[in-house]
């Protein structure tokens, strides 16, 4: 499907959007990105996403070209030019074009690309299967880097095993999913790993922690062992486009009762109510 995308100051049909083969995003995977959902025209948690984008840019020494208001203008234009009920916005900033040399000061101007795709609602409320895999990624997973080869391989391993997501374990502790954050529930207490370099500070994760705390549902940001993961009553994964998804099978074994749990039901209802209230306010 044709769409209008944003590339370096211009709005143009996706077929006409071109970048150089010497763009460092292509030659080095030298760039960062964001994915932001839009519900009924409201860009969900925009400020948080742009804060995280700015943090990623700072961490990799790429210049920040736009502030929040400028991003908002670009994204609103894309939403308008690509009508859909809900959207998934994608932003990618690379270091730009340079000779193929590791030295970053050879690149002069970042490449800025953004597009909007329809956000298709897939019903995952019956739960998904996951596998446990060793976390083979690097140490700076708090940066939303475009260099996603390990995650691509891990997702494919899940697929080969007939599952949807790979839950990752490093030195015996759960970090996150290949493209999601992880929550477990045991005896009514919700736990998610603390934010350090081993995982992406998910916008959905953070909001969910806030909502659980507000609702007086016990929620802890603590290290989770692989054993705790395997013995959990409930496991959920979260992401901006998938929201909160129950994991009902882990390595082909049922998680808890093998059905989406009660705490997940409560959590997802709270999340949907929050989304609806935000879209109404917009
Ligand atoms: C590795 C990883 N962790 C967590 C998430 C969830 O982050 P968010 O809730 O901000 O979408 C993602 C999203 O794609 C991800 O790729």
């Amino acid at each position: 499907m044709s769409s209008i995308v944003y590339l370096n100051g211009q709005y143009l049909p996706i077929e006409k959007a071109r970048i150089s083969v010497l763009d460092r995003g292509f030659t080095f995977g030298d760039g960062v990105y964001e994915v932001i959902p839009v519900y009924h025209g409201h860009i969900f948690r925009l400020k948080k996403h742009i804060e995280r984008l700015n943090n990623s840019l700072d961490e990799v020494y790429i210049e920040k070209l736009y502030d929040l208001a400028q991003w908002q203008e670009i994204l609103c234009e894309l939403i308008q030019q690509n009508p859909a009920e809900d959207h998934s916005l994608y932003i990618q900033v690379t270091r730009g074009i340079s000779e193929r040399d590791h030295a970053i000061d050879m690149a002069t101007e970042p490449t800025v690309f953004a597009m909007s795709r329809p956000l298709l609602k897939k019903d995952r409320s019956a739960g998904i299967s996951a596998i446990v895999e060793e976390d083979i990624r690097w140490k700076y997973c708090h940066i939303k880097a475009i260099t996603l080869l390990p995650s691509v391989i891990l997702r494919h391993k899940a697929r080969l095993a007939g599952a949807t997501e790979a839950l990752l374990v490093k030195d015996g502790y759960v970090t996150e999913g290949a493209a999601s954050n992880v929550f477990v529930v045991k005896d009514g207490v919700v736990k998610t790993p603390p934010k350090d370099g081993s995982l992406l500070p998910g916008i959905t994760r953070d909001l969910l922690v806030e909502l659980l705390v507000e609702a007086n549902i016990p929620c802890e940001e603590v290290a989770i062992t692989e054993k705790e993961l395997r013995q959990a009553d409930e496991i959920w994964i979260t992401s901006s486009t998938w929201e909160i998804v129950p994991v009902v099978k882990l390595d082909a074994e049922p998680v808890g009762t093998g059905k989406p749990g009660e705490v997940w039901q409560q959590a997802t209802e709270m999340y949907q109510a929050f989304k609806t209230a935000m879209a109404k306010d917009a």
Side-chain angles (χ1 to χ4, degrees):
M1 193 182 72
S2 181
S3 60
I4 301 296
V5 301
Y6 176 87
L7 182 63
N8 297 331
Q10 282 188 300
Y11 296 92
L12 66 179
I14 194 161
E15 308 78 26
K16 299 240 162 82
R18 293 274 179 272
I19 55 158
S20 163
V21 288
L22 287 179
D23 192 283
R24 295 175 66 102
F26 183 61
T27 51
F28 287 103
D30 187 351
V32 300
Y33 75 108
E34 271 299 323
V35 176
I36 315 174
V38 179
Y39 302 113
H40 298 284
H42 170 70
I43 309 179
F44 195 60
R45 310 294 266 182
L46 174 66
K47 191 161 171 268
K48 301 274 180 198
H49 281 280
I50 298 302
E51 276 169 16
R52 186 172 67 184
L53 175 67
N54 286 340
N55 185 58
S56 295
L57 290 166
D58 284 344
E59 291 270 10
V60 302
Y61 308 96
I62 294 180
E63 188 191 346
K64 295 190 286 291
L65 294 185
Y66 308 139
D67 63 18
L68 177 63
Q70 288 166 310
W71 275 121
Q72 184 154 20
E73 205 182 306
I74 293 167
L75 298 176
C76 286
E77 184 65 31
L78 286 177
I79 293 168
Q80 266 199 350
Q81 297 222 23
N82 297 282
E85 188 179 338
D86 294 332
H87 304 248
S88 170
L89 299 170
Y90 178 81
I91 294 174
Q92 176 169 322
V93 182
T94 74
R95 201 177 304 282
I97 298 163
S98 80
E99 284 304 310
R100 198 195 167 282
D101 187 303
H102 286 65
I104 65 173
D105 44 8
M106 296 190 78
T108 48
E109 178 95 353
T111 299
V112 181
F113 171 65
M115 65 179 169
S116 168
R117 311 300 280 174
L119 177 55
L120 304 171
K121 287 187 193 94
K122 185 163 178 195
D123 184 5
R124 299 183 180 87
S125 59
I128 58 157
S129 303
I131 57 168
V132 178
E133 279 290 323
E134 190 195 334
D135 193 342
I136 53 172
R137 303 169 308 160
W138 69 335
K139 284 195 173 166
Y140 296 162
C141 291
H142 60 295
I143 303 170
K144 204 161 166 62
I146 59 171
T147 330
L148 287 172
L149 194 51
S151 312
V152 168
I153 293 169
L154 289 162
R155 266 282 168 97
H156 188 60
K157 282 194 173 187
R159 202 189 145 104
L160 290 176
T164 305
E165 180 59 306
L167 306 187
L168 311 180
V169 171
K170 189 176 258 174
D171 302 327
Y173 290 93
V174 178
T175 55
E176 59 181 337
S180 58
N181 290 111
V182 177
F183 287 73
V184 301
V185 183
K186 186 74 185 174
D187 300 326
V189 179
V190 183
K191 291 183 184 177
T192 194
K195 291 191 278 185
D196 56 26
S198 68
L199 57 94
L200 184 77
I203 307 297
T204 320
R205 171 208 180 277
D206 286 357
L207 173 58
L208 184 54
V209 169
E210 270 176 43
L211 294 175
L212 290 166
V213 169
E214 260 173 43
N216 287 321
I217 296 174
C219 176
E220 298 171 4
E221 295 179 67
V222 287
I224 299 167
T225 62
E226 181 176 349
K227 192 171 166 201
E228 283 178 280
L229 178 73
R230 293 190 185 280
Q231 293 179 348
D233 299 331
E234 298 182 27
I235 301 174
W236 321 328
I237 58 165
T238 63
S239 79
S240 289
T241 48
W242 288 20
E243 303 178 345
I244 314 169
V245 177
V247 176
V248 292
K249 251 190 199 175
L250 189 64
D251 284 341
E253 294 292 322
V255 175
T257 61
K259 299 225 160 67
E262 272 170 36
V263 191
W264 170 77
Q265 190 65 47
Q266 262 180 290
T268 202
E269 278 167 19
M270 287 186 322
Y271 192 84
Q272 294 308 324
F274 183 90
K275 257 175 62 183
T276 308
M278 285 296 115
K280 263 195 202 139
D281 280 355

